[in-house]
Amino acid sequence: MSAFLYLITVLIWGTTFFAITFQVSEVSVLQSVFYRFSIAALVMWTLSFPRGSLRCLALQDHVRFAGIGLFMFSLNYILVYMATLHLVSGLVSVIFSTLIVFNCMQLWLFYGEKPEQKLLLGACFGIVGIASLFVEDFFGEKLDVEFATGVGLAFASTVCASTGNVIARTIHDRGINVMTANTWGMTYGSLFLLLVVLISGESWQFSTKPSFIVALLYLSVFGTVVAFFAYVTLMGRIGGPRAAYATILFALVALSVSTLFEGMQWTAPKLIGVALILSGNFLILPARAKAKSDCD
């Protein structure tokens, strides 16, 4: 069962980056993200309410829910979607895989959990890997401004996601279950997105193209609700360190998808860069994550 959950998590999250390209090509980024999380929040309420898992909570808990809604379920995805307008989806996923580094750094800053030496070594691998991955575009005959913009947006999204993870840590420490936290977080995230759309003055758009609708439903139901549920269940079965391998593996899936469907061109520096980034992430994972999995 654990192996099945792992497979679901990696395959779904590894393909969501490509699915996003069908969203941003038809409807504005703000509205695409709003539609995605509104549907996801509705599904979460449908699943949670009958089970009575949405118990009454203190105001400070709702402030934290609003925090993960802002950073994890709105700003993070706005920036990811914007980055996808400038980069092939596989490269966006590779940058996002550095979430492990940002999480460790923020936990050090806010929780005093000092990183081990292997974290610093892994971070160095990642920095050199990023430089190698993008060296041809940044230091060629002419700076590719669009490419540089995409890289910046992807890193900004990763920082937002990491901030959301740190806030989620405080919620977990208070003994609040994930289902409750995510239902409220997606709800607040949807409200933030709605507010931003209204303030932006955009006219409302919606595409009836099958590709848009299928991608929207896939991202909302599978990419947001199903994959996250599978991942959380997996963490309970085999532990967080082993489950964290998904961060590396879904980046490899996303790169494969980009190569097949987006015509991603591979050069020696890009191959070296991807290898260094993924190796750096591997080094950062706790030792237990490197042990052979006891998946069912």
Side-chain angles (χ1 to χ4, degrees), residues 135-200:
V135 66
E136 296 170 307
D137 299 277
F138 277 112
F139 301 105
E141 295 181 0
K142 183 179 180 181
L143 174 64
D144 189 333
V145 176
E146 182 175 2
F147 187 90
T149 300
V151 171
L153 290 168
F155 272 115
S157 74
T158 309
V159 173
C160 285
S162 178
T163 302
N165 285 344
V166 171
I167 297 173
R169 164 74 176 268
T170 67
I171 294 173
H172 174 76
D173 289 347
R174 288 180 58 80
I176 299 172
N177 66 67
V178 175
M179 198 77 169
T180 298
N182 283 336
T183 300
W184 281 111
M186 290 179 194
T187 301
Y188 283 118
S190 299
L191 293 175
F192 281 130
L193 290 163
L194 175 61
L195 181 61
V196 173
V197 173
L198 293 175
I199 292 175
S200 71

Side-chain angles (χ1 to χ4, degrees), residues 234-250:
L234 188 67
M235 288 178 65
R237 285 175 171 269
I238 66 174
R242 290 179 183 175
Y245 263 129
T247 307
I248 295 177
L249 296 179
F250 76 60

Side-chain angles (χ1 to χ4, degrees), residues 83-100:
T84 307
L85 291 171
H86 302 279
L87 297 176
V88 293
S89 61
L91 292 182
V92 176
S93 75
V94 170
I95 295 174
F96 196 81
S97 75
T98 61
L99 179 66
I100 299 174

